[in-house]
Amino acid sequence: MGNRFQVKDRFADGAQYIDGQLRAGTSGQSHTVVDPATGDEVLTYELASTADVDEAVAAAKRAFPAWSGATPGARSDALHRLAAVLAEQAEDFAYAESLQCGKPIRLTTEFDVPGTIDNTAFFAGAARHLQGQAAAEYSGDHTSYVRREAIGVVGSIAPWNYPLQMAAWKILPAVAAGNTIVLKPAELTPLTSLMFAQAAKEAGLPDGVINIVTGAGRTAGEHLVGHPDVVMTSFTGSTAVGKRVAEVATATVKRLHLELGGKAPFVVFDDADVEAAANGAVAASLINTGQDCTAATRAYVQRPLHDAFVARVAELMETVRLGDPFAATTDLGPLVSHAQRDRVAGFVERARDYATVVTGGEIPGGDLAEGAYYRPTLITGAAQDSEVVQSEIFGPVLVVLPFDTDDEGIALANDTPYGLAASAWSRDLYRANRATREIQAGCVWVNDHIPIISEMPHGGYKASGFGKDMSVYSFEEYTQVKHVMFDNTAVAAKDWHRTIFGDR
């Protein structure tokens, strides 16, 4: 990377972005962003207080009338300009994302950043298509039509695993629909959310439309979700925290969109291409060092293919190169923090008591010892009700279990509280189609696992939450539907009035 900006210089004024300006938080508490590949300090900043949240919400509330009153074309033009600014600054965004998360630069330059630019371009177009139902005389005496209107100030919380993309997924549909937003990124990874808001200003979005408050979840986050001037909140994170967000949000009767945990099944039927399935499983379980709620975590392989699949996955995992995230040859970076690495290692160590660690299961030494690295790990022999099969590990760990009949494979895939994503691997159209119908997940891939596109919705079933990111379906969360009805008769005493008073 040639043009690496200096993070401390870029955020010298602070890590809060309120009403178009960077400023320092006023909580009296600081937080340090750490490079998980080295353990080095990247930026120390002051966290947001509840007063900072109040100011951000007030700025968003002031900006709402003008922004919601702008034409769809004007909002669309602003988002097209934002997409262009993001493209111009793509290298800086990729560098910052890799620095704060430990993501390999290949991933940020080929997935995170271009995906965000594409999301922005998509919502720039979608802003012009917020349509209601066509006008008609449904009662016979009235003309009815439906308006879609912006709902107001949105207060959203984004996670640390995809800071840039998750910020965009929350900001873009909200502002495309005419809302204003206050976003709280994770304290660990605020850099690219702040940069996104700055890019929006460069693109001409008015001050106050996008605000970023970087604070602790139990103070800034809960205050944002419970704020009386916030009409809707969108949260992405763990199911446990999502439950708390729901409690706070419902106390003030606001809209709620939750994208929570996942434990994605990877179902391999006995007619599948083993080589394709093994390659897919390695890529889908290790993307973002496994810190992806749609990552393949539970591979159910029909018994005739089980041993060959396990052998090939182990072989492929052992070729994965851990290293400096900024090296072009690095396949797998560190986890986001040493605490997260230790959490993942704990799951694997406990699993040794009841399952077999085929490969991996180690914290590497040598040049990688200072980072939060963990080797790709394959586990077999675990029971369906065991911790590694049922709990979200959020690391580079894949568990493989056998099944015999198709009924059993689908039942095992559904045997989890989660339902975010899944995949089915088969050459048989009818078999694969059955799996897509019966597996309880918001997305089911066939003969692939992980690809997402801006035009299609992302969201879960069951404990994985409700509501959709991306696609036009996301506008359901960010717009209010209003029925408008005009009388066409010009009759003063209408026939239905007799049900209330007088005679016909």
Short mmCIF file of all heavy atoms in Angstrom, two decimals, residues 78-88 116-122 124 203:
data_model
loop_
_atom_site.label_atom_id
_atom_site.label_comp_id
_atom_site.label_asym_id
_atom_site.label_seq_id
_atom_site.Cartn_x
_atom_site.Cartn_y
_atom_site.Cartn_z
N ALA A 78 -26.66 12.70 -4.44
CA ALA A 78 -25.69 12.79 -3.35
C ALA A 78 -25.03 11.43 -3.10
O ALA A 78 -23.82 11.35 -2.86
CB ALA A 78 -26.38 13.29 -2.09
N LEU A 79 -25.81 10.34 -3.15
CA LEU A 79 -25.23 9.02 -2.91
C LEU A 79 -24.36 8.57 -4.08
O LEU A 79 -23.36 7.86 -3.87
CB LEU A 79 -26.35 8.01 -2.63
CG LEU A 79 -27.08 8.23 -1.30
CD1 LEU A 79 -28.21 7.22 -1.15
CD2 LEU A 79 -26.13 8.14 -0.12
N HIS A 80 -24.71 8.97 -5.30
CA HIS A 80 -23.82 8.67 -6.43
C HIS A 80 -22.47 9.38 -6.22
O HIS A 80 -21.41 8.80 -6.50
CB HIS A 80 -24.45 9.12 -7.75
CG HIS A 80 -25.40 8.12 -8.33
ND1 HIS A 80 -25.01 6.85 -8.69
CD2 HIS A 80 -26.72 8.22 -8.64
CE1 HIS A 80 -26.05 6.18 -9.19
NE2 HIS A 80 -27.10 6.99 -9.16
N ARG A 81 -22.52 10.63 -5.75
CA ARG A 81 -21.26 11.34 -5.49
C ARG A 81 -20.49 10.66 -4.37
O ARG A 81 -19.25 10.57 -4.41
CB ARG A 81 -21.55 12.80 -5.12
CG ARG A 81 -22.12 13.63 -6.27
CD ARG A 81 -22.08 15.12 -5.95
NE ARG A 81 -22.84 15.48 -4.77
CZ ARG A 81 -24.13 15.81 -4.76
NH1 ARG A 81 -24.82 15.83 -5.91
NH2 ARG A 81 -24.74 16.16 -3.65
N LEU A 82 -21.21 10.15 -3.36
CA LEU A 82 -20.53 9.43 -2.27
C LEU A 82 -19.83 8.19 -2.80
O LEU A 82 -18.70 7.89 -2.40
CB LEU A 82 -21.54 9.06 -1.19
CG LEU A 82 -21.02 8.18 -0.04
CD1 LEU A 82 -19.82 8.83 0.65
CD2 LEU A 82 -22.13 7.91 0.96
N ALA A 83 -20.48 7.45 -3.68
CA ALA A 83 -19.84 6.26 -4.26
C ALA A 83 -18.54 6.65 -4.98
O ALA A 83 -17.52 5.93 -4.88
CB ALA A 83 -20.80 5.56 -5.23
N ALA A 84 -18.56 7.79 -5.66
CA ALA A 84 -17.36 8.25 -6.36
C ALA A 84 -16.25 8.63 -5.38
O ALA A 84 -15.07 8.30 -5.59
CB ALA A 84 -17.70 9.43 -7.26
N VAL A 85 -16.61 9.29 -4.28
CA VAL A 85 -15.61 9.66 -3.28
C VAL A 85 -15.01 8.40 -2.65
O VAL A 85 -13.79 8.31 -2.44
CB VAL A 85 -16.23 10.57 -2.20
CG1 VAL A 85 -15.23 10.80 -1.06
CG2 VAL A 85 -16.65 11.90 -2.81
N LEU A 86 -15.85 7.44 -2.33
CA LEU A 86 -15.35 6.19 -1.75
C LEU A 86 -14.39 5.49 -2.71
O LEU A 86 -13.37 4.94 -2.28
CB LEU A 86 -16.52 5.26 -1.42
CG LEU A 86 -17.49 5.73 -0.33
CD1 LEU A 86 -18.68 4.77 -0.24
CD2 LEU A 86 -16.79 5.83 1.02
N ALA A 87 -14.72 5.51 -3.99
CA ALA A 87 -13.83 4.88 -4.98
C ALA A 87 -12.48 5.59 -5.04
O ALA A 87 -11.43 4.95 -5.14
CB ALA A 87 -14.50 4.87 -6.34
N GLU A 88 -12.50 6.94 -4.95
CA GLU A 88 -11.25 7.70 -4.97
C GLU A 88 -10.39 7.39 -3.75
O GLU A 88 -9.16 7.42 -3.83
CB GLU A 88 -11.58 9.20 -5.00
CG GLU A 88 -12.18 9.68 -6.31
CD GLU A 88 -12.71 11.11 -6.18
OE1 GLU A 88 -12.55 11.71 -5.08
OE2 GLU A 88 -13.29 11.61 -7.15
N THR A 116 -18.68 -2.18 -0.39
CA THR A 116 -19.29 -0.97 0.16
C THR A 116 -19.57 0.06 -0.93
O THR A 116 -20.62 0.71 -0.93
CB THR A 116 -18.38 -0.37 1.24
OG1 THR A 116 -18.20 -1.34 2.27
CG2 THR A 116 -18.98 0.89 1.83
N ILE A 117 -18.66 0.20 -1.86
CA ILE A 117 -18.88 1.12 -2.98
C ILE A 117 -20.09 0.66 -3.79
O ILE A 117 -20.94 1.47 -4.19
CB ILE A 117 -17.62 1.20 -3.86
CG1 ILE A 117 -16.47 1.83 -3.07
CG2 ILE A 117 -17.90 2.00 -5.14
CD1 ILE A 117 -15.12 1.71 -3.75
N ASP A 118 -20.20 -0.64 -4.02
CA ASP A 118 -21.34 -1.17 -4.78
C ASP A 118 -22.64 -0.96 -4.01
O ASP A 118 -23.66 -0.60 -4.61
CB ASP A 118 -21.13 -2.66 -5.05
CG ASP A 118 -22.20 -3.23 -5.96
OD1 ASP A 118 -22.21 -2.90 -7.16
OD2 ASP A 118 -23.07 -3.98 -5.46
N ASN A 119 -22.64 -1.19 -2.69
CA ASN A 119 -23.83 -0.92 -1.89
C ASN A 119 -24.27 0.53 -2.04
O ASN A 119 -25.46 0.84 -2.16
CB ASN A 119 -23.56 -1.18 -0.41
CG ASN A 119 -23.43 -2.64 -0.04
OD1 ASN A 119 -22.93 -2.96 1.04
ND2 ASN A 119 -23.88 -3.55 -0.89
N THR A 120 -23.29 1.44 -2.02
CA THR A 120 -23.60 2.87 -2.13
C THR A 120 -24.21 3.19 -3.49
O THR A 120 -25.22 3.91 -3.58
CB THR A 120 -22.34 3.70 -1.90
OG1 THR A 120 -21.73 3.31 -0.66
CG2 THR A 120 -22.66 5.18 -1.85
N ALA A 121 -23.63 2.62 -4.54
CA ALA A 121 -24.19 2.85 -5.88
C ALA A 121 -25.58 2.26 -6.00
O ALA A 121 -26.48 2.85 -6.63
CB ALA A 121 -23.26 2.24 -6.92
N PHE A 122 -25.80 1.09 -5.39
CA PHE A 122 -27.13 0.47 -5.44
C PHE A 122 -28.17 1.37 -4.78
O PHE A 122 -29.24 1.62 -5.34
CB PHE A 122 -27.12 -0.89 -4.76
CG PHE A 122 -28.50 -1.46 -4.57
CD1 PHE A 122 -29.16 -2.07 -5.62
CD2 PHE A 122 -29.17 -1.33 -3.36
CE1 PHE A 122 -30.46 -2.55 -5.47
CE2 PHE A 122 -30.45 -1.81 -3.19
CZ PHE A 122 -31.11 -2.43 -4.25
N ALA A 124 -28.00 4.50 -4.21
CA ALA A 124 -28.18 5.73 -4.98
C ALA A 124 -29.28 5.55 -6.03
O ALA A 124 -30.12 6.43 -6.23
CB ALA A 124 -26.86 6.12 -5.66
N ALA A 203 -18.98 14.49 -0.33
CA ALA A 203 -19.90 14.25 -1.44
C ALA A 203 -21.07 15.23 -1.44
O ALA A 203 -21.88 15.22 -2.37
CB ALA A 203 -20.43 12.82 -1.37
#
